Amino acid sequence: MTASVDCDRLMTELTDYLDGVVEADRRVAIDEHLDDCDDCRRVLEQFRLLGTWSARLASDVVSGLDDVTRRRLVEIFVDGTGETSAGPA
Amino acid sequence: MAEWTLDDVEFVERLKRRDESAFRELLDRYDPMLRRIARRFVQSEAAVDEAVSDTWIGVIRGIDRFEGRSSFRTWLVRVLSNTAIDRGVRESRQIPTDFADEHAGFSADMFAPADDPEWPGHWRSSVTDWSTAPSERLDANELFDQLRVALDGLPERQRCVYVLRDVEGWSSSEVAHALDLTEVNQRVLLHRARGRVRAHIDSYLTSERA
């Protein structure tokens, strides 16, 4: 026997569900609930959309390593101390 | 970003021998990733340079102690978070896993109470189908700007987990290791973050244009 699935409770479990860490019988109960509940299914779809959209932020452009800092880091590495500041002079 | 494809063990050995070309390769390979992640962690362009430089210094100092029990990128971000993140992230390790009181972007008033005769615990009003949002709201530029706003507005620990899991696509065990959290706690933080981001985007997609 499985506990019933209420929408409010399910909303605390969605990430566990998506990560595949809910117990097998609970997963079955959640799947059944999702079959019947348009609202919870929409939130699940929203989570999936957010995942797809968020992954695209990984291609956001950030400024690169400047040459001065790069040279200093390499010097520090070769020197082996790591004691000096690597910031631009 | 793809996982490291070279042999980590051999590569780390080259670093431990102070092989300059290995270090240059390391910078080329990982500095862009570190900068991108640091940008979301520290939230100011000025702080990114400092955080990333400090991370590389930490890597140089710590390379002899790297034991290869984690992937290289996980270790780098661990150094970054040790170095750069506000102390608050690390000092409050105790994260309550029972969040009955906190619906993580979902508030109790969205649901019928437990003693509701008809639909206890069910949605009071319909959840929006985002695919029916006005097309100008789904315009990529504006939508992604809103997503960045939502992300930057997250509490720090939630933001760090969200960035690594949902932006960078790391596994829960990698994120837990990089941020020194248990997998359960990183999942709690991720869920709260997702709930908040969802609420932000939902209100953006459903509100009237100002």
Side-chain angles (χ1 to χ4, degrees):
Chain A
M1 126 145 210
T2 53
S4 71
V5 176
D6 289 336
C7 307
D8 58 351
R9 168 87 193 280
L10 176 54
M11 289 305 108
T12 69
E13 294 175 296
L14 265 193
T15 293
D16 291 350
Y17 173 81
L18 289 167
D19 269 4
V21 296
V22 293
E23 299 291 333
D25 55 351
R26 183 69 185 164
R27 168 166 290 272
V28 170
I30 291 172
D31 285 338
E32 283 171 4
H33 178 89
L34 288 169
D35 278 344
D36 292 338
C37 182
D38 289 346
D39 293 310
C40 288
R41 205 165 53 242
R42 278 182 192 152
V43 178
L44 186 71
E45 180 56 25
Q46 291 173 353
F47 267 45
R48 289 189 170 134
L49 275 172
L50 286 178
T52 305
W53 295 339
S54 295
R56 288 179 51 182
L57 297 187
S59 46
D60 276 3
V61 176
V62 285
S63 56
L65 179 65
D66 67 272
D67 288 344
V68 176
T69 307
R70 185 186 164 90
R71 270 199 299 278
R72 297 190 71 159
L73 286 170
V74 172
E75 280 169 18
I76 292 166
F77 174 77
V78 172
D79 188 36
T81 65
E83 298 301 324
T84 12
S85 164
Chain B
M1 170 161 179
E3 248 293 22
W4 183 253
T5 50
L6 297 181
D7 184 327
D8 273 9
V9 177
E10 188 210 354
F11 191 76
V12 169
E13 287 310 312
R14 284 171 63 203
L15 289 171
K16 287 181 179 177
R17 290 198 306 269
R18 303 278 156 194
D19 176 339
E20 188 178 324
S21 69
F23 186 67
R24 290 181 186 279
E25 216 177 313
L26 189 69
L27 289 177
D28 289 341
R29 177 77 190 200
Y30 283 113
D31 193 75
M33 177 201 81
L34 267 184
R35 260 163 219 284
R36 197 171 64 232
I37 293 172
R39 174 68 189 83
R40 300 280 171 217
F41 278 18
V42 302
Q43 293 188 295
S44 98
E45 291 289 353
V48 170
D49 283 337
E50 192 185 341
V52 173
S53 289
D54 286 352
T55 300
W56 286 121
I57 303 269
V59 166
I60 292 168
R61 284 178 182 161
I63 190 68
D64 290 332
R65 293 190 301 276
F66 180 70
E67 291 170 354
R69 282 188 304 217
S70 62
S71 71
F72 213 85
R73 68 178 187 179
T74 313
W75 183 59
L76 287 177
V77 171
R78 198 177 164 96
V79 176
L80 172 72
S81 67
N82 276 325
T83 310
I85 299 178
D86 209 61
R87 296 294 153 220
V89 176
R90 310 194 50 74
E91 281 166 8
S92 44
R93 298 267 175 76
Q94 296 302 314
I95 298 159
T97 52
D98 175 357
F99 45 99
D101 293 334
E102 184 178 350
H103 272 273
F106 304 98
S107 58
D109 61 11
M110 290 170 152
F111 305 96
D115 59 3
D116 186 274
E118 232 180 326
W119 298 103
H122 283 241
W123 293 93
R124 279 183 192 276
S125 56
S126 285
V127 173
T128 326
D129 179 354
W130 285 358
S131 67
T132 64
S135 58
E136 74 268 17
R137 289 282 160 143
L138 290 164
D139 170 76
N141 288 334
E142 224 179 311
L143 183 65
F144 288 117
D145 279 347
Q146 287 298 322
L147 197 54
R148 290 183 193 96
V149 168
L151 222 153
D152 287 344
L154 291 173
E156 192 162 53
R157 289 177 304 178
Q158 292 181 25
R159 194 174 63 244
C160 292
V161 173
Y162 190 91
V163 164
L164 294 177
R165 283 290 308 271
D166 285 357
V167 178
E168 299 292 325
W170 289 21
S171 71
S172 63
S173 66
E174 282 181 299
V175 175
H177 189 265
L179 299 178
D180 206 7
L181 296 162
T182 64
E183 282 195 43
V184 168
N185 283 347
Q186 68 82 32
R187 201 170 284 117
V188 170
L189 291 168
L190 176 64
H191 187 67
R192 290 180 184 172
R194 283 175 173 173
R196 284 179 191 241
V197 173
R198 187 205 81 89
H200 181 96
I201 296 297
D202 193 51
S203 75
Y204 162 72
L205 289 175
T206 56
S207 66
E208 295 298 318
R209 185 172 283 274

